[in-house]
Amino acid sequence: IRLRNLAAGTDSVFSSNLWNREASTSFGQLAWSTSTFEDTTAASSIAFYDGRTIRTISDTNTVPNRKPILKDGGLVWLQYGSRPRVIAFIGDSLLTLAEANTQSIIKGYDINGGVAIAAVIDTTNVVSTIRIFKASTSTITVVTDSNLIQPPHIDNGQVVWVSGTGGGRKTKL
């Protein structure tokens, strides 16, 4: 992984395994997926550079840990396995924010300003839920939408998603 400092015109190189991919950067920090195998379905870990040191953040490397999103010092990623889940790392703690089961799928996740969100769709009952974790209060709020949704996003304390299918879609904030 190469990180270029545009002001200084210098590059820093990061590697914590044979295969390093899916880099995400924010305020001088860096997160990426790292594995000993090229196959994207192979077991992997999430590496994190905090501006000083590199460390492994994910709690397991026996399943794929992929697609990290790093913003404002907080990190979320998708951990695959028999029950895919969204993992959040805020401060120095790991939290399972959302988990799919045999009748549901993870539909998206994001993080901003100490708030992590994850969406799960119940494919049997066609109901969606968005789980919102606020680090400042250590609370999770669940918002239910009676439609299928597209992946949610968060910015400046506002969560937005698209609800419904076909011509009946609505953007919700």
Side-chain angles (χ1 to χ4, degrees):
I1 305 281
R2 260 188 203 280
L3 180 64
R4 175 161 285 242
N5 181 322
L6 296 177
T10 58
D11 289 351
S12 298
V13 178
F14 298 87
S15 177
S16 63
N17 216 324
L18 186 59
W19 293 95
N20 299 278
R21 56 175 69 93
E22 301 174 331
S24 181
T25 186
S26 177
F27 295 106
Q29 296 178 327
L30 179 67
W32 68 96
S33 177
T34 180
S35 177
T36 55
F37 300 101
E38 180 179 12
D39 183 358
T40 57
T41 62
S44 58
S45 299
I46 298 297
F48 177 66
Y49 172 70
D50 62 9
R52 294 182 307 276
T53 59
I54 297 173
R55 59 187 167 143
T56 300
I57 297 296
S58 47
D59 59 350
T60 180
N61 64 356
T62 60
V63 297
N65 288 277
R66 304 288 314 279
K67 304 176 183 171
I69 299 173
L70 174 66
K71 293 183 188 169
D72 306 323
L75 175 63
V76 290
W77 69 89
L78 188 57
Q79 186 178 79
Y80 292 90
S82 60
R83 297 177 73 128
R85 59 180 116 189
V86 175
I87 307 293
F89 174 76
I90 301 175
D92 237 3
S93 301
L94 289 177
L95 167 77
T96 299
L97 182 56
E99 186 171 11
N101 58 36
T102 56
Q103 67 182 39
S104 64
I105 59 171
I106 302 291
K107 191 57 180 177
Y109 51 96
D110 201 2
I111 191 165
N112 181 261
V115 181
I117 62 171
V120 178
I121 294 178
D122 180 328
T123 56
T124 302
N125 299 309
V126 193
V127 173
S128 303
T129 56
I130 299 172
R131 296 176 56 84
I132 304 166
F133 173 73
K134 287 181 161 182
S136 63
T137 59
S138 295
T139 57
I140 293 178
T141 302
V142 178
V143 176
T144 302
D145 190 314
S146 59
N147 292 298
L148 296 176
I149 65 170
Q150 293 180 356
H153 297 283
I154 183 167
D155 184 59
N156 200 26
Q158 295 185 315
V159 179
V160 64
W161 69 95
V162 175
S163 173
T165 58
R169 288 186 180 147
K170 295 181 175 137
T171 301
K172 294 191 175 184
L173 182 62

